Amino acid sequence: DKLKAGDVVRVREGELRDLLGVVDRVDKTTVIITPKHDAIKNKLEFGINELEKYFETGDHIKVVGGRRQGITGTVVKVDGEIVTVLTDITKDE
């Protein structure tokens, strides 16, 4: 669940909950994002635990942990925290 520059993230809690943004920089415990919101122009800083990666149908991803680590594919469904991926090699879900 490591964040890196260029990742799309969602704020998990607080006043800005559900705000989307793109990671600009990651330090040890903080993340700087550029919000994807017309009314918020400045970059924002969050604690690393306040953010989570955000996926949409059609995104191409690589699994970075767990028993499916290393698999790449296309997101075909997002249901809360469960992401269904059609794998590149086997075309399995």
Side-chain angles (χ1 to χ4, degrees):
D1 187 41
K2 295 180 181 177
L3 299 177
K4 64 182 185 317
D7 284 346
V8 178
V9 293
R10 182 179 76 86
V11 179
R12 297 168 64 159
E13 56 196 29
E15 290 180 19
L16 296 175
R17 182 178 178 173
D18 294 329
L19 174 71
L20 299 180
V22 178
V23 173
D24 184 62
R25 188 174 79 242
V26 180
D27 296 324
K28 290 179 183 177
T29 58
T30 60
V31 181
I32 308 297
I33 70 165
T34 301
K36 289 181 139 187
H37 193 286
D38 292 339
I40 305 173
K41 303 295 183 196
N42 296 330
K43 293 182 180 186
L44 301 173
E45 181 176 315
F46 291 93
I48 202 159
N49 294 327
E50 295 178 272
L51 303 172
E52 62 187 4
K53 287 187 181 181
Y54 178 79
F55 301 103
E56 291 183 332
T57 301
D59 287 349
H60 192 265
I61 66 162
K62 179 178 182 178
V63 179
V64 296
R67 62 187 176 110
R68 306 247 189 245
Q69 184 172 349
I71 291 175
T72 59
T74 302
V75 174
V76 293
K77 181 180 175 186
V78 179
D79 186 12
E81 293 187 7
I82 299 173
V83 177
T84 304
V85 177
L86 183 65
T87 63
D88 288 336
I89 296 174
T90 63
K91 300 300 182 198
D92 289 335
E93 280 190 18

